Amino acid sequence: MSSIPLDKMSWPDTLGHEPRLEEDFQDFKAGLNEIEAETEANRCIHCYEAPCIQACPTAINIPQFIGRIGSGNTLGAAKTILESNILGHSCALSCPTEVLCEGACVYHHLNHKPIMIGRLQRFAVEHAYKTGAKFFVPGEPTGKRVALIGAGPASLACAHELRRLGHEATVYEKSALPGGLNSYGIAPYKMKTGVSLVEIEQIATLGVQFKFGEELGRTFQLSELVDSYNAVFLGLGLGPDSHPPIPGDDHPRVRGAVEFISQLKTLPSASLNWVRELRSALVVGGGNTALDACRELKGLGIPSVRVSYRRGQAEMSGYLHEFKSALQEGVEFHFNTVPVSFTSRTENSIQVEFSQTRITHDGSITVVPTGSFVEVELVLFATGQSNFSKSKNLFAEIPGLEFDRGKLKIDPNTGQTGNPKIFSGGDLTNGGKEVVNAVSDGKRAAHGIHEVLIHG
Ligand code: SF4
């Protein structure tokens, strides 16, 4: 799908036509051809109460779509997928299938390789997009208008479902492109920005309106949308990279991992020539963003890539299969270490001082100076992103919005917040999960909104 020319898209021409560094990356899981797909599909034994469906947050009818591929009905397979998950292409490429659908496949119990569900899903949806198939139409107009803040996966899924139910949907997005994490944040060896944009075109064709360059609290206030729309969906996701302050962290080569990934994906490679010249880099963190970042740096050909994590390997929140892949690709892991200072050696290199960490019996961490130093040319912090719980001004004068440990509180069945006109889902409410979780949340909220608008 990345071969579709960007100039065929209707989105603002912001991504441009110049080469981008993300194009240097090969897909880490190659697509299947027709014979491979049919052969693989015919291995599925169509389990009763299929565990793969139960493991999918969007409950795609996996045996049904696989059966359709096996019988040559690839468009029917794509319809089954997209009916449950309109971002089924990006989920096929970015989902941790090893721990979701494929992780639950009964073949594990038979000591056989699980069905390649993600790759079959990709095969079906790519076939549908190539043929230009359209599966959905807008519902009968209801005259109700819904504003959605943020154009990430949760809002996109919500807007798509709202249009199918006949409501108007207008998405307010501060960036120049839609997609949020899908367009700006997914590791390029998993999915490229152009793929995300093609997928969102399918949603836009249902009549979803997009307003770009619109930032909550800067160009508009929440109260204005609450006053002028019948309902509002908050799909803000997470804020910028964050890390604890460390002396010297204002060096220009000390950056946030999410910001760096977004630059690889969207900036012309000519403006990132310095990245191609890097010889060494350090990633700080032990989650999936850290694993994505270190694998990307290796993928760019940087000879020395280290990861520093303050706890042990067993405590890493990143997926084990991603950790193993990073090890195989030559990333060095330094557990129970933290950087404690950065000293500028030159404009392009930094001396990093490390300390050892010890976990005390109550689980807290103490830091023991060791006086060890490493010189690197780039430091990426992948230690989390800020959330909006402290941005009280964003939600000023709106009653009913409450946060619990950084997450916006919602009704788990409808996505409704404490304010009856405001709904939410995705990272703002779950603290940061997968794209597929955001899609599930967005769909749930659309039905919650529909219930209030039509029957409330
Ligand atoms: Fe097919 Fe595996 Fe799902 Fe069973 S669990 S229906 S074999 S994909």
Side-chain angles (χ1 to χ4, degrees):
M1 292 302 293
S2 53
S3 61
I4 290 180
L6 295 174
D7 59 2
K8 290 273 185 289
M9 298 179 192
S10 60
W11 299 113
D13 199 16
T14 315
L15 198 53
H17 303 271
E18 292 178 53
R20 286 166 291 114
L21 268 185
E22 75 159 0
E23 290 160 3
D24 288 8
F25 290 86
Q26 299 293 318
D27 288 1
F28 80 137
K29 285 183 195 167
L32 300 173
N33 64 33
E34 208 172 311
I35 294 171
E36 290 167 335
E38 283 193 23
T39 308
E40 181 64 4
N42 285 321
R43 283 208 306 131
C44 176
I45 55 175
H46 304 276
C47 307
Y48 178 67
E49 294 187 348
C52 53
I53 302 180
Q54 291 165 32
C56 173
T58 54
I60 294 174
N61 190 334
I62 292 166
Q64 184 185 78
F65 95 69
I66 290 179
R68 288 180 169 181
I69 293 175
S71 63
N73 179 9
T74 311
L75 283 184
K79 185 168 186 225
T80 299
I81 295 161
L82 298 172
E83 186 74 47
S84 291
N85 182 342
I86 190 59
L87 298 184
H89 192 203
S90 44
C91 288
L93 298 171
S94 69
C95 260
T97 52
E98 293 84 349
V99 295
L100 293 176
C101 53
E102 291 175 19
C105 179
V106 292
Y107 269 108
H108 286 289
H109 303 298
L110 305 171
N111 282 330
H112 284 288
K113 271 180 62 183
I115 303 291
M116 292 191 272
I117 301 168
R119 291 170 80 182
L120 288 171
Q121 182 165 316
R122 172 182 179 176
F123 171 78
V125 180
E126 288 188 354
H127 174 78
Y129 287 172
K130 274 181 200 148
T131 59
K134 296 268 183 288
F135 300 113
F136 307 107
V137 291
E140 205 54 42
T142 62
K144 304 290 185 187
R145 300 168 65 241
V146 182
L148 302 98
I149 306 179
S155 286
L156 292 170
C158 184
H160 180 258
E161 206 67 10
L162 287 169
R163 289 298 299 132
R164 292 184 72 195
L165 293 164
H167 308 301
E168 286 182 28
T170 306
V171 180
Y172 289 71
E173 168 57 48
K174 69 173 184 215
S175 305
L177 290 170
L181 178 76
N182 276 16
S183 297
Y184 288 96
I186 291 181
Y189 55 85
K190 293 181 182 166
M191 185 170 102
K192 310 231 172 4
T193 301
V195 172
S196 166
L197 297 180
V198 170
E199 185 173 57
I200 301 166
E201 285 274 307
Q202 312 297 315
I203 295 170
T205 55
L206 235 62
V208 175
Q209 300 296 311
F210 288 86
K211 291 176 180 279
F212 296 104
E214 296 282 0
E215 185 172 359
L216 176 62
R218 190 176 65 82
T219 61
F220 68 92
Q221 301 300 328
L222 183 53
S223 55
E224 296 169 40
L225 301 193
V226 171
D227 289 344
S228 49
Y229 287 86
N230 298 102
V232 176
F233 177 79
L234 295 175
L236 275 71
L238 295 173
D241 297 283
S242 67
H243 66 85
I246 295 174
D249 62 6
D250 55 349
H251 191 288
R253 287 286 179 92
V254 177
R255 296 169 174 223
V258 173
E259 176 207 342
F260 180 76
I261 293 171
S262 141
Q263 290 176 343
L264 284 190
K265 289 177 73 72
T266 55
L267 293 184
S269 38
S271 67
L272 294 170
N273 279 336
W274 63 273
V275 173
R276 289 191 197 279
E277 288 158 16
L278 290 171
R279 309 292 300 158
S280 59
L282 169 73
V283 176
V284 184
N288 286 312
T289 304
L291 293 174
D292 278 353
C294 69
R295 294 187 66 193
E296 277 162 48
L297 295 169
K298 265 288 167 194
L300 286 167
I302 298 172
S304 168
V305 178
R306 295 177 170 89
V307 172
S308 161
Y309 178 49
R310 65 197 175 125
R311 294 180 185 269
Q313 192 240 304
E315 286 79 40
M316 286 177 84
S317 59
Y319 295 120
L320 184 62
H321 62 273
E322 298 276 3
F323 167 66
K324 286 180 179 169
S325 298
L327 273 183
Q328 278 168 6
E329 288 158 11
V331 176
E332 270 179 47
F333 285 82
H334 298 265
F335 293 108
N336 298 109
T337 63
V338 278
V340 289
S341 74
F342 302 110
T343 306
S344 177
R345 305 299 280 176
T346 68
E347 195 188 327
N348 300 334
S349 83
I350 312 147
Q351 187 183 63
V352 185
E353 180 185 0
F354 286 98
S355 284
Q356 202 78 41
T357 60
R358 298 228 173 96
I359 316 294
T360 59
H361 63 280
D362 65 355
S364 58
I365 294 180
T366 57
V367 175
V368 184
T370 54
S372 56
F373 297 89
V374 165
E375 204 160 308
V376 293
E377 295 172 339
L378 176 70
V379 176
L380 295 181
F381 270 99
T383 47
Q385 291 169 256
S386 60
N387 62 54
F388 293 101
S389 61
K390 297 200 172 67
S391 309
K392 299 265 188 270
N393 60 323
L394 294 185
F395 309 113
E397 298 166 31
I398 305 293
L401 298 182
E402 266 184 69
F403 284 85
D404 179 17
R405 283 167 288 177
K407 301 171 194 169
L408 181 62
K409 283 167 73 174
I410 51 169
D411 179 323
N413 297 314
T414 63
Q416 192 174 38
T417 67
N419 184 307
K421 276 187 87 171
I422 304 178
F423 292 72
S424 187
D427 289 354
L428 182 65
T429 59
N430 63 31
K433 285 192 176 175
E434 301 297 337
V435 173
V436 69
N437 300 103
V439 172
S440 168
D441 287 3
K443 263 175 61 183
R444 171 188 62 191
H447 289 278
I449 291 169
H450 180 70
E451 196 57 32
V452 168
L453 296 187
I454 300 304
H455 304 118

